[in-house]
Amino acid sequence: MADPGEVSPDALQQRLERILLGGRRKYTRLEVAEKAGVPEDRSRRLWRALGFATVEDDEVVFTDADIEAIRTADQLMNSGLIDPSIELAVTRALGQHLSRLAEWQVHMLWAMITENKDIGTSERQIARLVDRLLPELEKVQNFVWRRHLAAYAGRAFAAPDEDLEARTEVVGFVDMVGYTRLTRQVGEDELSAILDRFESVATEVVAEHRGRIVKMIGDEVLFVADSAVDGAEIALALSERADTDDTLPAVRAGLASGRILSRFGDVYGSVVNVAARLTSVARPGTILVDKELALELADEAAYEVRTRRPVSVRGYNRLRPSSLRRARDRPSGMFASSQQLAAEMLGLAPGVASTPAAVSVSAEVEDAVEEVIEDATADSLPPRPKRRRRR
């Protein structure tokens, strides 16, 4: 990192800390609990649940703002709006999500300071920057929060009899192929650009098709969708966008449909596990779906859903996936010539495959040939190389 002017990083950190915390650290944890009127053991539990480091009873690390925050949190818990049995779980979820948001915002703030060295040499300049920036960030955060509240409230009231925690949804994972190898081949700046691009594309695609991003896990996005078609469109669109983007490597996806447990912004259950396992065995550029989702998409003319041979993955023996892709009018390229050769070997000349039996045999041949070709090309070729990296 660049050195902002004549101010050392420690001194700059102290300046920012005083501004962000609303004053100097001057209270111990016990003093905060006493002044806020909150039982000492309760204040300790709340502090830990929020994700902050445990402090000794005699450490002077708290400010006047901490007293007000603990008091407000205690009043909220005592209001009856939050069930006491989930009090700490709610607090943990709040701390975890806001911690990630704060980390990104600090990186942004630090970049602004280091790129403008005159700011870092003056506490007054830093204060002016923070005083100007924070209110704008708070406005944006409040707006986004309220919009999401409105969206989820609309879903809840549209289906008042539905359990919002345990419901049937499509769960999908999409990850970048060869990410581990990629981290060894590119520098930090290029890796950061790739991750930023992946997150940007994933966010756009999921929003366009009425899905919700549960979380980004480095090279992977976990999303949910209310309908089979929305889930399929998200996976297909992400794969297509990655295929045409010179910045991104190929992606692969796994989707499953069924009841999931939604808890504090995350999702759990066997459906989530199946989607993850399918992703792990999917070939580059392919999308695998479970039996339930395949059945839901079977009558959708826009897609081709083809059963593949069983696979064994951790926790599931002989899992029977299906491949998902957009419907095509007729085979082309390598698949077309291979299918034609196979048909001729079976005595199915062009125009002969018109009876139901012949059509059935032809479809089976096509599936078998495609599966063999996929396996052969995947084993012999590296994941879709990008021209950008051939230097």
Side-chain angles (χ1 to χ4, degrees):
M1 281 187 182
D3 182 10
E6 301 298 327
V7 179
S8 69
D10 289 342
L12 181 57
Q13 179 183 353
Q14 293 174 7
R15 289 178 177 181
L16 287 174
E17 189 177 86
R18 286 197 297 271
I19 297 168
L20 295 172
L21 295 182
R24 295 181 179 276
R25 299 174 183 257
K26 55 184 179 180
Y27 301 114
T28 66
R29 186 179 58 79
L30 297 179
E31 289 172 335
V32 168
E34 179 182 359
K35 290 180 178 295
V38 179
E40 182 270 334
D41 60 335
R42 185 183 182 86
S43 68
R44 182 194 292 113
R45 289 198 304 271
L46 289 175
W47 182 257
R48 288 176 176 173
L50 285 170
F52 299 124
T54 302
V55 298
E56 300 295 334
D57 291 344
D58 58 351
E59 286 189 71
V60 180
V61 296
F62 298 98
T63 70
D64 290 313
D66 290 310
I67 296 175
E68 185 60 30
I70 290 293
R71 183 185 293 122
T72 301
D74 185 63
Q75 291 172 350
L76 178 61
M77 299 303 178
N78 291 330
S79 67
L81 294 175
I82 299 177
D83 191 314
S85 64
I86 63 171
E87 170 185 307
L88 293 182
V90 170
T91 307
R92 281 195 300 270
L94 184 66
Q96 290 169 8
H97 289 295
L98 292 182
S99 173
R100 295 186 62 188
L101 179 63
E103 181 180 9
W104 165 76
Q105 291 173 341
V106 166
H107 288 167
M108 180 181 67
L109 180 61
W110 180 258
M112 293 178 66
I113 293 175
T114 54
E115 291 172 4
N116 298 273
K117 295 185 178 182
D118 292 341
I119 296 178
T121 61
S122 169
E123 184 173 342
R124 179 177 300 178
Q125 293 281 13
I126 295 174
R128 289 177 60 185
L129 172 63
V130 174
D131 287 342
R132 180 180 176 183
L133 183 62
L134 288 188
E136 299 304 318
L137 285 176
E138 289 173 350
K139 289 179 183 178
V140 172
Q141 289 171 189
N142 190 54
F143 167 76
V144 174
W145 171 61
R146 286 180 176 273
R147 290 294 300 182
H148 281 300
L149 277 181
Y152 286 114
R155 287 174 52 186
F157 286 108
D161 297 331
E162 186 175 7
D163 188 343
L164 294 181
E165 286 194 350
R167 55 186 296 165
T168 299
E169 289 194 289
V170 175
V171 178
F173 287 87
V174 178
D175 73 3
M176 292 187 286
V177 177
Y179 177 75
T180 301
R181 181 174 62 254
L182 180 64
T183 60
R184 298 194 297 264
Q185 295 175 343
V186 302
E188 292 181 358
D189 290 343
E190 187 173 0
L191 181 61
S192 178
I194 293 171
L195 292 174
D196 285 344
R197 181 59 182 162
F198 179 63
E199 290 187 11
S200 176
V201 171
T203 301
E204 291 175 9
V205 169
V206 173
E208 286 172 1
H209 299 287
R210 297 170 293 279
R212 176 174 68 86
I213 291 181
V214 178
K215 55 188 172 184
M216 302 291 301
I217 316 170
D219 63 320
E220 185 174 58
V221 58
L222 165 59
F223 67 88
V224 294
D226 290 338
S227 74
V229 170
D230 286 339
E233 283 297 324
I234 290 171
L236 287 165
L238 270 174
S239 180
E240 291 161 356
R241 291 280 294 272
D243 192 53
T244 58
D245 193 315
D246 288 338
T247 304
L248 297 175
V251 300
R252 57 183 180 175
L255 286 79
S257 177
R259 290 184 66 79
I260 62 172
L261 173 64
S262 180
R263 190 169 184 270
F264 302 114
D266 210 340
V267 290
Y268 306 88
S270 61
V271 173
V272 182
N273 295 336
V274 169
R277 301 295 186 270
L278 290 177
T279 307
S280 69
V281 296
R283 299 294 188 185
T286 63
I287 301 168
L288 296 182
V289 302
D290 73 335
K291 179 180 179 181
E292 286 71 20
L293 185 56
L295 290 173
E296 293 180 49
L297 294 171
D299 295 330
E300 296 291 339
Y303 312 115
E304 289 184 4
V305 182
R306 302 197 173 179
T307 304
R308 296 307 187 193
R309 60 173 176 266
V311 295
S312 294
V313 295
R314 182 164 56 90
Y316 299 90
N317 291 324
R318 296 185 61 78
L319 189 64
R320 185 84 179 187
S322 295
S323 63
L324 169 68
R325 67 187 181 194
R326 297 198 185 280
R328 299 180 301 181
D329 292 337
R330 58 182 299 175
S332 60
M334 176 172 59
F335 289 133
S337 59
S338 300
Q339 291 161 13
Q340 176 65 25
L341 176 61
E344 292 176 358
M345 292 174 65
L346 292 175
L348 299 175
V352 174
S354 57
T355 66
V359 171
S360 176
V361 172
S362 179
E364 291 181 5
V365 169
E366 182 179 342
D367 287 347
V369 170
E370 286 192 13
E371 193 164 332
V372 170
I373 293 174
E374 284 182 8
D375 290 346
T377 56
D379 291 337
S380 61
L381 297 177
R384 186 168 55 82
K386 295 287 188 176
R387 293 190 300 274
R388 180 182 56 81
R389 297 196 185 96
R390 292 181 177 178
R391 300 171 178 170

